[in-house]
Amino acid sequence: MQTTDYLCEELIVEIFTRLPPKSLLRFRSLSKSLYTCISSPQFIRLHTFRSPQKIRFTHENIDNNKIAEVVYTLHGEDELPLCLCPKRGYIGITTRIPFPCSNRFRTVGSCNGTFCLKTKNGLTLWNPSIRRKVRVPECPRSSELALGGIGFGFDPISDDYKIIWISYEKDTSFVYAVKTGTWCEITSPKPEFTYVRREAFLFKGALHWEVNHFDLDFSCILTFDLSTHVFGMIPFPGLAPDWLTTTLTTIQDSLALICYRMNIDDSWILVWRDASWSVVFKLGTGKLPVDGAFQFQPQPQTTNECNLLLSTYGEGFQIYNPKTGLRSGVLGFNASSSLIDFWECVETLHLLDMGEPACETTQL
């Protein structure tokens, strides 16, 4: 007798979309009907929507003078390893998972629990929740194109992941679609820019880069709509020349820009709303600028909805409550490890039945 003889399909979906990917991979093997249900795009979308928000910390671990190993750990908001509670956060974590490539890589972007990694050998998509990776074919003419910017995100219209490769000097850039496995040409943005300060930040279906044109003394945020393939621009806030920007993020469900003033005890977070910038947080970081921030979403029966996870120069990672001014440092998982960065993450089934197994886990 099949599982669906006991439970109606609607109830199965209601229950199973709240389970972690590891459990769902096991349940897929119980019957053909469960396999079909869990593998369907509709199920994967609903499961992604219902998956709880987590933070992925990247660690560099140097053990007994060995070559540095890069690993990650996942944490919910109430599971962060804080200095005030040294044992909190890593209790119950029994494995660490190496990245599916050499340690020399950078994270291009993250979306729906899937990460785009760039190494000297090219691009790889990786979903650590289900241990799957997809190798991306080399971008056409990449050897002759000066890489001006790269971005990774999800197009909700075509229900597909995309990577964009923008050239500094050429009129042609390229977009890669995972479903088709091909790169297509697009016209590069105008005016031409001379420097991109960061990988793209994904916000509401569009990629955003901070760009400069030194000759024109021009800076702005370059945008690219993943559905329409149209470029756009957002002006920088009109701050004094001694203010510098560090990165883009999301604050209060709006695009946000982190700025700091040189030699002044202050860092600000501004949000873009109604075609203008406004200051929402003045952080005061003791002459140590903030180069990353993440705001936890309000959760029922919690009082942490205002907390910010900050990455600072010199003082590492901190949890900061703007209302009280209280801060607490975030710890590595052992004495020989250090935190490198953090990314918002959810555990999903994206890339299921694609690519190849990524790696085996190793014990902490």
Side-chain angles (χ1 to χ4, degrees), residues 267-293:
S267 287
W268 289 3
I269 299 180
L270 300 88
V271 297
W272 176 254
R273 292 181 184 142
D274 301 323
S276 65
W277 292 100
S278 58
V279 178
V280 290
F281 294 117
K282 296 184 177 182
L283 302 175
T285 56
K287 298 183 180 179
L288 294 172
V290 172
D291 68 338

Side-chain angles (χ1 to χ4, degrees), residues 4 102 153 198 211 225 232 267:
T4 51
S102 67
R198 292 274 178 167
V211 300
D225 189 298
S267 287

